[in-house]
Amino acid sequence: MARSDRYLRLLLLLLISATFFEGYDSSILALLLPNIQSTFHVSEALLGVTRIPIELGLFVAFFVARQSDRVGRRPLLLWSVVGYTIFGGLTALSWDIWSFTFFQFASRVFLGAEFSVAITMVVEEFPVARRARALGTLLTFEGLGTIMVAILLGLGLQNGGLDWRAFFLVGIVPLIVLTFLRRRMHETERFEEERKKREHGEAIPRMPFLAAWAPRYRRNLVLVGMVYLMRSIPFFGATAWWAYYAERERGFTETEVAVYILVAYGIGCLGYYVCGRLMERIGRRPTAMIYFVGAVIFSVILFQTTDRVVSFFALMLAVGFGLGVQPVLSAFGTELFPTEIRGQAAAWVRNWFEIAGYVFGPALVGILGDHATGAIGNVGDTVSLLMIMQLPGIFLIWRHMPETKGRELDELTPEEALLSEAALT
Amino acid sequence: MVRRSTFAAVIAAVLVVLVGLGLAIHFANAGHHRPEGAAERWLAAVGDIGRRGVTADARSRAERIGAPAIAAPLLPPSHNPRHSEFADLEVGKAIDAGASTVRVPFRLHQELASGVGPLKTGTLVLHRDGDTWHVTALDARRPGEKVRSEGGPPASRAPLALWLGALAVGAILALIAHAITRYAERSAHRAVRAT
């Protein structure tokens, strides 16, 4: 039985908090590090060291997210929101750098799981005609989370009595929303069907750790994983270093950087929505290729130009294409896998392949682009050179990625979806 | 189903690749000691000395490169201790001044208690001592000493060979990814035939 429009709207509203706070939480840490450093009186070196366990939380999220194939999407999402809010709130009460690191690590674990399950729920609940648009809408809020941090910074929230801690207290909002609306959220119909099958002994009762790597699923897992990895290394390298690059290599003031991020990100977020519409209209593969090519071109322009006007439009378009590709990537990471393995596959793709880029991308740019000791010696050229890593990703999408436009999830049998080399339609 | 030993072997192979990549980057970075980077680090550290909570760490970082007192003319008369004493900073390409000495132009804005303050420009004089550069003096700019945003040359630039090399690496990566996908596809075919 199809879900009513009203329920789907409510579901989307509830899931939006997951993506919004992913963007919000990641940006707090990036933009407020100097304030946190001052509060805890720690060196830059120690601050760098603490980033490693914090970001590893997203990797550990894999082990939580994969439980959604066993316990269900709904309970895992609800508990993830609870976990994220508790540890987000506790972060505001941190008493030293190590308590801060632990709370942020735990918060990341739940946030990563929440994000993965949210994507899976949209893919499973929305009918094919509206799925792409729903993904686009959902992921637009990830970008808006970043913009919210910029707005709060502009309003001077960090200058209040609570300093940076006030930003983490805002993270309690999703728990309040959920408290009132949780009873109206249902388990996904596809998972319910899968659970019934298990009860009748028709499906495997418990998925082993490596189930998503079984030969039947391996091709698409490797394929989607490599596309994610090749995009995430240059992408996260670029996003982590743009503000530094703009100030130190192009002479932007701090205010100019803030304005550029706010305005260009604000407009660039339309890229998510356009992506959702475009993948519905022309298909997943062509949309992904257009977005990948756009991201490479405008990122290279952004990190090479010295003209401020060109830089503004390049940033806007790099955000639009680079961040905006998320809906189609999320579709690849979920639609190509059958229900019983979908949660796990999405977790593998996101929490292993993508997070690897999240860790190594910024590190590569930092090491190779170091102004004193780096082999390349500047951030602009390093990011531009890394962008070339996206070219193999474009090739893989063009040559190997199956097309799922207009296909209901149930229409994709494992054999069909996993062995087809060219477009399915 | 996938054996855990196979998975462990794949993880080990990935780790070996990562270690290899790390070594390659280490050797690629070896021997680079740019005065522009040293000047930038010194200015950033000097600016942080006035920031509450990190004074000792910042002073120690600055002193390793040069005496913080050299920067006295650049410091604002008053500032907000929540922020660095410089709102932003940019350094230009080093110009050889002979006898292991270079001149590095810079521009920065002071951070006042009321917000961003006036622009300060100048040139840092650095002296090479073995592999390290030390800031020895602050000087007025000479003609032609400009940072990148004023039309000066970039502090460093990737050579053409590196761009071509990156394209070649991209092509090789595409081939490897293609081969991995085909291998996974063949094993999937075999598995489906077997069932």
Side-chain angles (χ1 to χ4, degrees):
Chain A
M1 190 183 75
R3 299 287 196 193
S4 69
D5 283 356
R6 196 171 165 211
Y7 174 73
L8 291 178
R9 274 199 299 274
L10 173 73
L11 179 68
L12 196 58
L13 183 73
L14 287 167
L15 297 179
I16 274 169
S17 76
T19 51
F20 179 85
F21 280 97
E22 221 234 10
Y24 179 86
D25 212 68
S26 308
S27 305
I28 296 179
L29 207 56
L31 296 172
L32 287 169
L33 265 187
N35 302 52
I36 295 161
Q37 185 190 16
S38 286
T39 302
F40 296 132
H41 299 203
V42 291
S43 68
E44 289 199 331
L46 182 58
L47 201 66
V49 168
T50 57
R51 285 297 294 271
I52 297 168
I54 289 175
E55 303 306 351
L56 278 178
L58 289 171
F59 171 72
V60 176
F62 161 80
F63 297 97
V64 181
R66 67 184 288 270
Q67 297 302 317
S68 74
D69 286 334
R70 194 166 67 88
V71 300
R73 313 325 189 194
R74 181 182 179 273
L76 198 81
L77 185 93
L78 296 180
W79 282 112
S80 297
V81 174
V82 172
Y84 160 67
T85 348
I86 288 174
F87 285 105
L90 284 172
T91 304
L93 304 175
S94 305
W95 55 89
D96 61 16
I97 191 68
W98 298 113
S99 57
F100 175 86
T101 303
F102 173 74
F103 293 142
Q104 271 297 285
F105 161 80
S107 168
R108 285 274 206 279
V109 171
F110 289 107
L111 195 60
E114 187 187 349
F115 187 87
S116 290
V117 179
I119 300 290
T120 305
M121 287 184 86
V122 164
V123 169
E124 290 187 347
E125 289 290 77
F126 278 78
V128 64
R130 296 169 57 190
R131 193 189 306 145
R133 204 181 314 170
L135 276 174
T137 307
L138 181 75
L139 290 163
T140 301
F141 279 83
E142 190 184 10
L144 293 179
T146 302
I147 292 170
M148 177 55 81
V149 176
I151 290 172
L152 292 176
L153 275 170
L155 292 173
L157 186 64
Q158 72 282 9
N159 296 327
L162 290 173
D163 202 335
W164 53 269
R165 297 174 194 271
F167 285 80
F168 287 100
L169 290 177
V170 174
I172 294 174
V173 172
L175 188 64
I176 298 167
V177 173
L178 203 74
T179 306
F180 291 104
L181 298 175
R182 73 182 193 283
R183 290 182 195 286
R184 291 163 69 182
M185 180 188 274
H186 307 298
E187 183 51 83
T188 70
E189 292 188 326
R190 287 193 166 78
F191 184 80
E192 286 294 358
E193 286 167 20
E194 194 62 27
R195 184 169 12 221
K196 280 177 194 155
K197 279 187 194 171
R198 287 179 200 179
E199 284 167 5
H200 291 100
E202 293 172 32
I204 303 167
R206 184 161 183 218
M207 285 293 165
F209 173 66
L210 296 174
W213 287 96
R216 289 199 315 157
Y217 315 119
R218 190 184 298 157
R219 174 195 183 271
N220 278 3
L221 191 62
V222 166
L223 175 62
V224 178
M226 285 194 295
V227 169
Y228 264 73
L229 180 69
M230 286 165 182
R231 178 233 175 209
S232 69
I233 288 179
F235 172 75
F236 287 118
T239 51
W241 286 93
W242 182 76
Y244 179 90
Y245 156 81
E247 276 187 30
R248 297 287 173 90
E249 293 181 17
R250 290 295 179 266
F252 281 51
T253 64
E254 211 174 33
T255 313
E256 281 174 323
V257 169
V259 170
Y260 268 54
I261 288 178
L262 202 60
V263 180
Y265 256 66
I267 302 171
C269 277
L270 282 174
Y272 287 100
Y273 185 72
V274 173
C275 180
R277 299 300 294 260
L278 203 61
M279 63 197 250
E280 228 166 52
R281 192 171 288 252
I282 67 170
R284 275 65 165 145
R285 292 170 70 225
T287 303
M289 284 191 281
I290 290 170
Y291 268 73
F292 267 63
V293 170
V296 172
I297 290 172
F298 292 110
S299 300
V300 171
I301 292 173
L302 175 66
F303 280 91
Q304 292 297 316
T305 186
T306 50
D307 186 294
R308 299 284 170 100
V309 178
V310 174
S311 188
F312 175 81
F313 286 103
L315 177 63
M316 192 175 76
L317 290 164
V319 168
F321 284 103
L323 277 174
V325 73
Q326 279 277 17
V328 74
L329 283 179
S330 298
F332 287 147
T334 47
E335 290 180 340
L336 293 173
F337 303 94
T339 302
E340 72 272 13
I341 205 78
R342 188 171 298 124
Q344 278 214 38
W348 273 102
V349 165
R350 186 175 150 67
N351 301 101
W352 282 66
F353 288 97
E354 189 172 36
I355 298 307
Y358 192 81
V359 174
F360 293 119
L364 271 177
V365 175
I367 294 167
L368 291 171
D370 188 292
H371 291 171
T373 58
I376 299 171
N378 70 81
V379 171
D381 284 353
T382 308
V383 171
S384 302
L385 286 164
L386 278 182
M387 278 294 157
I388 290 166
M389 279 196 72
Q390 291 208 26
L391 299 177
I394 299 168
F395 168 76
L396 285 178
I397 294 167
W398 167 73
R399 181 72 180 82
H400 294 289
M401 195 67 82
E403 177 60 81
T404 52
K405 179 197 164 198
R407 310 270 310 224
E408 277 295 354
L409 298 180
D410 305 328
E411 290 176 46
L412 293 168
T413 64
E415 289 75 16
E416 184 187 32
L418 304 176
L419 299 178
S420 176
E421 186 173 289
L424 285 172
T425 49
Chain B
M1 203 45 65
V2 182
R3 284 196 303 261
R4 278 179 188 263
S5 57
T6 310
F7 182 71
V10 171
I11 294 291
V14 170
L15 288 175
V16 168
V17 170
L18 284 178
V19 170
L21 193 63
L23 286 173
I25 290 171
H26 175 75
F27 286 118
N29 274 4
H32 292 282
H33 305 283
R34 294 188 186 83
E36 296 93 341
E40 186 187 78
R41 281 183 186 176
W42 182 75
L43 283 170
V46 165
D48 277 348
I49 290 176
R51 196 148 67 87
R52 191 180 60 207
V54 295
T55 303
D57 175 58
R59 186 177 296 282
S60 146
R61 281 189 283 126
E63 281 171 347
R64 279 200 289 270
I65 303 171
I70 295 171
L74 302 175
L75 302 179
S78 69
H79 87 288
N80 182 347
R82 286 173 185 268
H83 302 286
S84 162
E85 299 199 59
F86 306 138
D88 52 61
L89 68 94
E90 184 187 2
V91 298
K93 189 165 180 58
I95 298 164
D96 191 359
S100 298
T101 303
V102 293
R103 296 171 58 83
V104 178
F106 68 87
R107 77 196 292 271
L108 55 85
H109 283 93
Q110 292 179 335
E111 177 83 44
L112 303 175
S114 53
V116 178
L119 174 71
K120 292 275 180 181
T121 59
T123 295
L124 291 176
V125 180
L126 288 95
H127 184 77
R128 187 168 187 145
D129 181 13
D131 276 345
T132 55
W133 288 93
H134 294 287
V135 174
T136 54
L138 173 68
D139 197 7
R141 282 201 197 166
R142 292 175 185 169
E145 291 179 346
K146 289 178 182 171
V147 299
R148 177 74 160 147
S149 65
E150 297 164 340
S156 69
R157 184 176 272 163
L160 180 64
L162 205 53
W163 291 92
L164 296 175
L167 280 173
V169 170
I172 292 166
L173 278 176
L175 283 175
I176 293 171
H178 174 71
I180 292 172
T181 308
R182 293 303 297 263
Y183 169 77
E185 195 168 293
R186 280 198 297 274
S187 71
H189 273 294
R190 279 198 300 271
V192 170
R193 274 199 299 270
T195 54

